[in-house]
Amino acid sequence: MKSKLLMLLGATATILASALAAQAQTALKWAHVYETSEPFHTESVWAAEEIAKRTEGRYKIDVFPASQLGKEADLNQGLKLGTVDIIISGSSFAAREYAPIGVTYFPYTFRDPAHLIAYTKSDVFKQLAKGYEEASGNHITAVTYYGTRHTTSNKPIAKCSDMQGLKMRVPDVPAYLAMPRACGANTTPIAFAEVYLALQNGTVEAQENPLTTIEAKKFFEVQKHIVLTGHIVDHLNTVVSKNLWSQLSDADKQIFTEVMQEAAERATKIIEEREQKLVQTFQERGVEVTEIDKADFEATVMDKVALEDFGYKKEDWEAIRAVK
């Protein structure tokens, strides 16, 4: 009788412990617009699992890829509304809250991926990230190299003036628009998820994105030329909502930051390795890949576009350019 009672008490204690653990677990939503094959997703899933391990299961993070919880603008709005807790998004969207951080998207700011990563460790990055946090309440934990943006088109492009009158899809972001408009393209904002169809049916004749995105979204199937304009060395921020960040203990903030930065480094490495192989891959698929006179493009942009027109500070841009 006594042993049965002990067994019953033990079972009850186990059930109660499980119930308490379930109550203590915090469920979080991590969202982005990228495909499940891309490292921005695979490394987010890794980070979600790693955070669960390092916090002994106190956080259960579900990752929602491919615009499942909305387009990128919706996800940024979701940080305020509480519909998402963590997102991966570009500084172009952060610039809607704090314009100066968008200077990183101004054409030909970064020399290469190494320059971008050096910037993320600099004082100017800390200042811009702090300005964004003060304006939005949201916290940037990590930065991932997204890729160097190039142009795809159904007509050959060798110099800036060849883009005159070209119907081109460009995100509705001032800095993204700078190069195409300086070169005379007719820019059209189309949602990321709808670009393939727009290229296929001729709504637009061109678009711009990194080589990895061109592959993942299969834009090469509906474009004849990949033009290595290299106009923006792009990146994504891992952003934690004001509500979540304010509730985390200092110890958990450190865990979230360390894991998210590790995930960003892992994704960055994958992107760099993929980019190095893709030019040959596209050529083997019959797509014409061409170099351009980058100096011509840069000179045209600097002649026709002023940093101040976008709300950027020239001193920030110069500080970034000076980062070694």
Side-chain angles (χ1 to χ4, degrees), residues 230-242:
H231 49 286
I232 297 174
V233 177
D234 210 344
H235 66 283
L236 298 172
N237 300 315
T238 305
V239 188
V240 178
S241 73
K242 176 182 179 180

Side-chain angles (χ1 to χ4, degrees), residues 4-318:
K4 287 184 179 180
L5 181 60
L6 288 172
M7 287 175 65
L8 181 62
L9 288 171
T12 303
T14 300
I15 292 169
L16 286 171
S18 298
L20 288 170
Q23 288 177 355
Q25 188 177 67
T26 300
L28 302 173
K29 292 181 180 179
W30 182 331
H32 60 79
V33 300
Y34 302 99
E35 301 299 320
T36 55
S37 61
E38 295 183 81
F40 315 114
H41 177 69
T42 60
E43 302 317 302
S44 295
V45 171
W46 174 85
E49 293 171 349
E50 194 66 18
I51 287 171
K53 288 179 188 175
R54 297 191 195 183
T55 61
E56 299 179 334
R58 286 185 288 107
Y59 295 94
K60 181 181 183 298
I61 304 175
D62 291 314
V63 182
F64 297 85
S67 305
Q68 287 180 10
L69 298 186
K71 298 172 185 176
E72 197 160 359
D74 301 323
L75 298 183
N76 278 270
Q77 185 67 14
L79 291 174
K80 290 183 179 179
L81 299 176
T83 54
V84 293
D85 304 289
I86 304 160
I87 67 170
I88 295 176
S89 180
S91 285
S92 55
F93 286 89
R96 296 180 181 184
E97 301 279 356
Y98 181 65
I101 201 170
V103 71
T104 51
Y105 283 98
F106 196 77
Y108 304 107
T109 296
F110 296 108
R111 297 181 292 275
D112 51 36
H115 184 198
L116 167 69
I117 298 305
Y119 150 74
T120 66
K121 300 172 183 177
S122 70
D123 288 340
V124 64
F125 168 74
K126 292 173 185 175
Q127 292 166 8
L128 291 171
K130 181 181 178 183
Y132 166 72
E133 184 163 1
E134 289 173 348
S136 68
N138 304 321
H139 182 77
I140 297 173
T141 56
V143 178
T144 305
Y145 171 56
Y146 178 65
T148 299
R149 299 182 82 91
H150 300 292
T151 303
T152 69
S153 172
N154 281 330
K155 60 171 278 188
I157 297 169
K159 55 186 183 299
C160 188
S161 58
D162 290 337
M163 297 178 74
Q164 185 69 41
L166 187 70
K167 291 188 296 183
M168 184 171 178
R169 182 270 175 178
V170 183
D172 191 18
V173 175
Y176 281 156
L177 296 165
M179 184 279 284
R181 287 186 176 174
C183 295
N186 291 328
T187 57
T188 303
I190 294 172
F192 188 56
E194 299 163 12
V195 176
Y196 183 98
L197 183 60
L199 292 168
Q200 187 177 49
N201 64 26
T203 302
V204 290
E205 306 165 277
Q207 67 85 45
E208 53 82 57
N209 260 298
L211 297 178
T212 48
T213 306
I214 293 167
E215 180 192 38
K217 301 298 287 187
K218 301 189 184 300
F219 296 150
F220 63 88
E221 295 180 346
V222 288
Q223 296 275 263
K224 298 175 182 176
H225 302 271
I226 294 176
V227 187
L228 302 177
T229 46
H231 49 286
I232 297 174
V233 177
D234 210 344
H235 66 283
L236 298 172
N237 300 315
T238 305
V239 188
V240 178
S241 73
K242 176 182 179 180
N243 182 55
L244 173 57
W245 192 250
S246 65
Q247 292 180 19
L248 294 178
S249 66
D250 288 345
D252 284 349
K253 283 179 180 178
Q254 184 173 349
I255 290 171
F256 273 62
T257 300
E258 288 176 354
V259 171
M260 289 171 174
Q261 288 182 354
E262 286 179 39
E265 289 171 5
R266 289 161 59 104
T268 292
K269 184 178 179 182
I270 294 169
I271 292 296
E272 288 190 275
E273 290 173 351
R274 286 186 181 178
E275 282 186 320
Q276 290 169 8
K277 300 174 182 176
L278 276 173
V279 169
Q280 183 178 344
T281 299
F282 288 130
Q283 290 172 332
E284 290 171 352
R285 288 170 173 163
V287 182
E288 185 173 345
V289 182
T290 55
E291 299 279 352
I292 52 97
D293 182 355
K294 193 175 287 188
D296 170 62
F297 277 76
E298 184 171 355
T300 302
V301 170
M302 298 310 295
D303 180 56
K304 294 187 177 181
V305 182
L307 283 155
E308 292 78 9
D309 292 344
F310 297 92
Y312 306 150
K313 298 176 182 177
K314 191 171 182 180
E315 57 265 33
D316 288 339
W317 184 76
E318 289 175 342

